[in-house]
Amino acid sequence: MDTTTGSVPATPGIGHRFIDLPDVRLHVAEAGTGSPLLLLHGVPQDATVFTGMIPELARNHRVIAVDLRGCGQSSAPADGYSLDSQLADLVGLLDAMDIKQARIIAHDLGALYAFMLCLRHPERVRSLVSLSIPHPFLRFNVRFLPVFKDAWFEPLLATPGMATLLMGRGRQPMARLMFRHYVMDPGIWDPERLEYHLAKLREPGRAAAIGAIYRQCVFPTFIKLMRGGYMDQRLTTPTLLAVGDQDNAVPARLLEGYESHADEMELLRIPGAAHFILDEQPGKVVSAALEFFAREGH
């Protein structure tokens, strides 16, 4: 078992190891015992975004924070970034760790995977806290048009070669823009932590993996969602859908109307946060998640 995380200092009480699946090697950080709790990060970050939250979450849970395929210390193969492949990674990870069912806290890209895991494999997810992403039960509406200006970069990054050029080379303008634009206060970023994320994207294959994720998964899934492609499905997993009250990319006012498609889903606005809610309001996220998990039936 590895006890360090590359350029990130080891944190007491958090162990690290690698899980080998058929075509990818996944890095996980672990702590605690009890009911399994899987933590899924977004882009352009990795599982280190949860480091400060893990000790509190691990008081009553077996916490597993995974670097998704292509991110962090997990391997970055040239292919395998479709939604099907990513869900196979998660199921394979749970199987390899002998976990039949887990709670999940997931942000951004990780929340997309988590929602789809709930729809396809509901028996594997006990409950979900989804952060900063729409639920699957949307259909295109003219009210969404102002939001699209905050998603303009998605088709750009999906274009072959552009993610490497704009996120992994030179001044990495797209990566820096994402960190600066989607927070209330860019001053929240500790320079050392920001450089860690930027340095990861400069590693061979990492920025290309981000491009493949947008090209093979995010953009196709978004198009399907806008066409109402998930309206015939039902979410049976108890879910807390939390968004920052200043998140212009995922405004809470546009996320209602899910009631007829979900057995139990709640919408929570977290004050003082935009899109990078884990960095802006980690304490409020942890408190909301633990309160949600503690309710009877969860």
Side-chain angles (χ1 to χ4, degrees):
M1 176 180 291
D2 297 294
T3 57
T4 61
T5 56
S7 59
V8 177
T11 301
I14 301 179
H16 299 266
R17 61 167 160 152
F18 292 88
I19 303 294
D20 290 310
L21 300 181
D23 65 339
V24 69
R25 193 182 203 206
L26 298 179
H27 166 255
V28 298
E30 299 177 277
T33 59
S35 177
L37 173 57
L38 182 63
L39 307 181
L40 304 177
H41 64 85
V43 291
Q45 297 178 295
D46 58 30
T48 59
V49 71
F50 293 105
T51 299
M53 308 176 200
I54 289 177
E56 181 66 20
L57 295 171
R59 291 178 184 269
N60 295 295
H61 294 90
R62 176 190 176 190
V63 177
I64 304 105
V66 58
D67 287 331
L68 298 170
R69 175 187 291 250
C71 303
Q73 292 189 81
S74 291
S75 63
D79 205 354
Y81 296 95
S82 69
L83 180 59
D84 288 347
S85 294
Q86 298 282 11
L87 296 185
D89 285 354
L90 296 182
V91 172
L93 174 67
L94 293 175
D95 288 345
M97 301 186 75
D98 196 28
I99 297 173
K100 294 183 179 180
Q101 188 180 61
R103 293 182 171 105
I104 298 179
I105 299 176
H107 176 249
D108 186 73
L109 176 71
L112 169 63
Y113 297 161
F115 263 125
M116 297 304 156
L117 186 67
C118 291
L119 292 178
R120 295 193 188 182
H121 302 280
E123 75 283 355
R124 305 308 296 263
V125 187
R126 183 172 175 179
S127 55
L128 168 64
V129 175
S130 171
L131 304 166
S132 307
I133 201 167
H135 57 74
F137 310 115
L138 297 178
R139 189 192 299 270
F140 176 76
N141 186 298
V142 292
R143 295 185 304 152
F144 297 155
L145 290 176
V147 177
F148 290 164
K149 67 181 177 62
D150 285 297
W152 62 270
F153 65 89
E154 293 187 3
L156 179 62
L157 292 181
T159 304
M162 294 304 293
T164 298
L165 178 65
L166 298 175
M167 298 189 74
R169 295 179 181 172
R171 290 286 298 166
Q172 301 171 271
M174 183 61 68
R176 293 179 183 276
L177 174 65
M178 292 173 74
F179 283 115
R180 183 175 67 250
H181 181 68
Y182 296 96
V183 293
M184 290 181 60
D185 176 15
I188 69 163
W189 299 113
D190 175 80
E192 184 176 348
R193 292 292 304 158
L194 181 58
E195 174 54 29
Y196 164 78
H197 290 302
L198 293 173
K200 277 293 178 185
L201 290 170
R202 293 194 295 268
E203 293 179 359
R206 298 293 179 192
I210 298 297
I213 288 169
Y214 276 96
R215 183 167 57 255
Q216 297 179 25
C217 178
V218 175
F219 200 53
T221 303
F222 177 75
I223 295 299
K224 181 176 179 178
L225 188 152
M226 285 291 98
R227 291 175 174 172
Y230 299 99
M231 299 294 283
D232 62 343
Q233 300 189 43
R234 186 166 188 84
L235 181 69
T236 59
T237 306
T239 299
L240 178 65
L241 177 60
V243 296
D245 67 349
Q246 300 300 313
D247 189 348
N248 293 325
V250 189
R253 69 182 184 279
L254 300 182
L255 297 182
E256 299 175 351
Y258 54 79
E259 292 80 3
S260 62
H261 299 280
D263 288 355
E264 184 181 348
M265 183 155 68
E266 304 172 20
L267 178 59
L268 174 67
R269 297 166 175 82
I270 294 186
H275 190 71
F276 284 95
I277 195 169
L278 291 172
D279 302 275
E280 295 176 284
Q281 295 293 344
K284 292 179 181 178
V285 169
V286 169
S287 295
L290 292 178
E291 192 275 335
F292 182 68
F293 293 150
R295 295 183 202 167
E296 186 177 358
H298 295 169

